[in-house]
């Protein structure tokens, strides 16, 4: 695409089933919903460094997409003003690696339902992981939750059957729901900062996993 484009409308390339690669120029600041939805052969994407939101359903059912880098200018994965429950990467069944930029504040509901994703690092700048963000990531083995995360919603890691390694970097336990870690791996270990173990074991719903808080990370 040429420089000078500033926005891309809903469904702009939706169901372009032969599209394999695209580079979005840095002039683009806005990409609306479902721009690449159903682009089943899309395997390589370079996003604009000036993009501010990864909108609803942007890469829904891009089943060949294996890696994605979220630019530092992006503040939301998912649109905070939308009630649509389709995630930005919902159905990206081959997605294995996600690099989340330093500007992201919120990872909205249903963002990733990707059966091939094996590990994820939530940067320190993120404050909220909305409900169901990683639900049904059945291959997810490890997650690092940054020190800025204050709230982790319901069902965020539900049905993550392989998830046995959880690192939470915040000294004060983030708020979670009873179903946040529902049906994760059979032998999970939860690593928290030095001196925070007892606080986690006593916190609401974290206490359900008190026996799993067995290791500690350095502050």
């Amino acid at each position: 695409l040429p420089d000078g484009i500033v926005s891309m409308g809903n469904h702009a390339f939706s169901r372009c089933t032969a599209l394999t690669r695209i580079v979005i120029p840095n002039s683009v600041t806005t990409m609306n919903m479902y721009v690449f939805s159903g682009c089943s052969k899309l395997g390589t994407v370079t996003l604009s460094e000036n993009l501010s939101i990864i909108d609803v359903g942007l890469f829904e059912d891009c089943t060949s997409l294996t890696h994605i880098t979220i630019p530092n200018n992006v503040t939301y994965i998912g649109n905070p003003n939308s009630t649509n429950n389709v995630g930005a990467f919902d159905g990206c069944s081959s997605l294995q690696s996600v690099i989340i930029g330093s500007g992201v504040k919120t990872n909205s509901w249903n963002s990733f339902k990707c059966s091939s994703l094996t590990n994820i690092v939530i940067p320190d700048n993120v404050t909220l992981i909305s409900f169901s963000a990683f639900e049904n990531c059945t291959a997810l083995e490890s997650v690092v939750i940054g020190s800025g995360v204050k709230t982790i919603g319901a069902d965020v890691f539900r049905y993550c059957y392989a998830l046995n390694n959880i690192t939470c970097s915040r000294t004060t336990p983030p708020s979670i729901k009873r179903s946040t870690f529902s049906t994760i791996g059979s032998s999970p270990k939860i690593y928290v900062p030095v001196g925070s173990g007892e606080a986690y074991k006593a916190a609401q719903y974290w206490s359900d996993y008190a026996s799993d808080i067995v290791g500690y990370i350095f502050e």
Side-chain angles (χ1 to χ4, degrees):
L1 297 175
D3 289 330
I5 295 173
V6 296
S7 65
M8 300 171 69
N10 294 345
H11 299 276
F13 294 94
S14 181
R15 311 210 181 283
C16 290
T17 55
L19 183 65
T20 61
R21 179 178 181 270
I22 194 161
V23 176
I24 309 300
N26 289 335
S27 56
V28 173
T29 58
T30 303
M31 296 172 66
N32 291 345
M33 298 187 296
Y34 303 106
V35 170
F36 297 107
S37 175
C39 292
S40 56
K41 292 185 180 179
L42 184 61
T44 303
V45 176
T46 302
L47 292 171
S48 165
E49 292 296 328
N50 294 307
L51 190 65
S52 59
I53 292 177
I54 303 295
D55 213 331
V56 170
L58 188 63
F59 295 102
E60 179 198 22
D61 292 332
C62 289
T63 54
S64 295
L65 188 65
T66 58
H67 306 281
I68 192 78
T69 297
I70 309 298
N72 292 334
N73 201 54
V74 170
T75 54
Y76 291 95
I77 300 176
N79 193 324
N81 299 314
S82 175
T83 57
N84 192 316
N85 64 357
V86 175
F89 297 94
D90 203 350
C92 292
S93 56
S94 297
L95 189 63
Q96 299 175 8
S97 172
V98 178
I99 299 174
I100 298 177
S102 61
V104 174
K105 299 292 189 296
T106 300
N107 192 357
S108 296
W109 59 351
N110 294 321
S111 296
F112 299 91
K113 287 190 173 181
C114 309
S115 57
S116 294
L117 191 64
T118 57
N119 60 81
I120 190 75
V121 176
I122 308 297
D124 292 340
N125 44 278
V126 174
T127 59
L128 169 66
I129 306 174
S130 293
F131 66 86
S132 298
F134 298 97
E135 185 179 7
N136 287 313
C137 289
T138 54
L140 188 65
E141 297 175 353
S142 67
V143 61
V144 176
I145 300 169
S147 61
V149 174
K150 299 177 180 179
T151 303
I152 307 174
D155 301 337
V156 166
F157 298 106
R158 191 181 185 195
Y159 304 135
C160 293
Y161 298 116
L163 181 58
N164 282 306
N165 193 322
I166 300 164
T167 298
C168 197
S169 305
R170 188 175 179 83
T171 54
T172 302
S175 171
I176 65 173
K177 301 296 184 181
R178 186 176 298 279
S179 63
T180 295
F181 295 105
S182 177
T183 56
I184 58 173
S186 59
S187 55
K189 292 184 179 180
I190 299 173
Y191 300 91
V192 300
V194 171
S196 299
E198 294 307 314
Y200 273 82
K201 291 178 181 180
Q204 187 177 32
Y205 303 129
W206 285 104
S207 60
D208 295 345
Y209 305 93
S211 62
D212 302 321
I213 301 174
V214 295
Y216 299 89
I217 61 173
F218 292 106
E219 291 178 309

